[in-house]
């Protein structure tokens, strides 16, 4: 965006719109436009890493993956942080009987309706139950 000033009012030389002071002004460079195109859906991304993450989501081939919740991670450090949070013993409320129990569960799975105590769980659970 190029700006022409007449005291406190500015006019965009590209579109002719006028605006008052207080707006951020600056020149737009060609590099400011999204330049990384997804070959799958055609979506554009301004940064290369955003396209890479988008591609991992489509192909479901993340370099690091949690074996409990199957969430994918591009960076080892983010995966490691996720696992440390998962290993935190939490008080969890059973969605069936509402009884509180202790266990380890991935943080992103806490709000799901699959959080059941040992007695109410009828299938393999993503929770690692912990006894006091």
């Amino acid at each position: 965006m190029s700006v022409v000033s007449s005291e406190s009012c500015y006019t965009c030389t590209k579109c002719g719109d006028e605006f008052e002071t207080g707006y951020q002004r600056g020149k737009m460079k060609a590099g400011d436009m999204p330049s990384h195109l997804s070959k799958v859906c055609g979506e554009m991304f301004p940064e290369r890493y955003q396209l890479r993450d988008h591609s991992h989501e489509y192909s479901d081939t993340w370099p690091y993956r949690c074996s409990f919740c199957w969430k994918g991670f591009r960076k080892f450090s983010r995966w490691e942080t996720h696992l440390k949070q998962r290993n935190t013993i939490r008080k969890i409320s059973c969605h069936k009987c509402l009884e509180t129990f202790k266990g380890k569960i991935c943080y992103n799975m806490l709000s799901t309706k699959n959080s059941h105590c040992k007695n109410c769980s009828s299938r393999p659970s993503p929770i690692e139950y912990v006894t006091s």
Side-chain angles (χ1 to χ4, degrees), residues 99-113:
E99 195 170 315
T100 304
F101 61 95
K102 290 183 180 181
K104 296 178 185 179
I105 187 170
C106 296
Y107 187 77
N108 58 322
M109 297 183 80
L110 272 174
S111 61
T112 65
K113 301 209 185 263

Side-chain angles (χ1 to χ4, degrees), residues 65-71 79 82-83 86-87 104-106 108-109 125-128:
R65 185 178 294 280
C66 176
S67 59
F68 297 98
C69 69
W70 294 98
K71 182 176 179 172
W79 176 64
H82 175 82
L83 292 180
R86 192 219 181 275
N87 285 326
K104 296 178 185 179
I105 187 170
C106 296
N108 58 322
M109 297 183 80
S125 175
I127 301 169
E128 184 181 333

Side-chain angles (χ1 to χ4, degrees), residues 6 12 47-48 68 79 88 98-99 110 114 121 124 132:
S6 58
C12 177
E47 300 292 333
R48 185 175 52 153
F68 297 98
W79 176 64
T88 302
L98 303 177
E99 195 170 315
L110 272 174
N114 294 329
S121 184
S132 306

Side-chain angles (χ1 to χ4, degrees), residues 84-101:
K84 284 179 185 174
Q85 289 174 346
R86 192 219 181 275
N87 285 326
T88 302
I89 297 172
R90 306 176 191 279
K91 283 188 177 180
I92 304 168
S93 181
C94 177
H95 279 86
K96 278 189 180 177
C97 70
L98 303 177
E99 195 170 315
T100 304
F101 61 95

Side-chain angles (χ1 to χ4, degrees), residues 7 16-17 22 44 51-53 57 59 65 70 78 83 89 97 102 107 109 114 118 124:
E7 292 187 33
D17 283 350
M44 299 278 282
L51 174 59
R52 185 173 52 226
D53 287 355
E57 287 174 15
S59 65
R65 185 178 294 280
W70 294 98
R78 296 247 171 108
L83 292 180
I89 297 172
C97 70
K102 290 183 180 181
Y107 187 77
M109 297 183 80
N114 294 329
K118 275 186 179 180

Side-chain angles (χ1 to χ4, degrees), residues 1-21 25-27:
M1 167 173 74
S2 300
V3 177
V4 176
S5 171
S6 58
E7 292 187 33
S8 65
C9 188
Y10 298 94
T11 305
C12 177
T13 56
K14 193 169 187 175
C15 67
D17 283 350
E18 291 186 359
F19 53 95
E20 295 178 20
T21 58
R25 297 170 287 142
K27 286 194 169 191

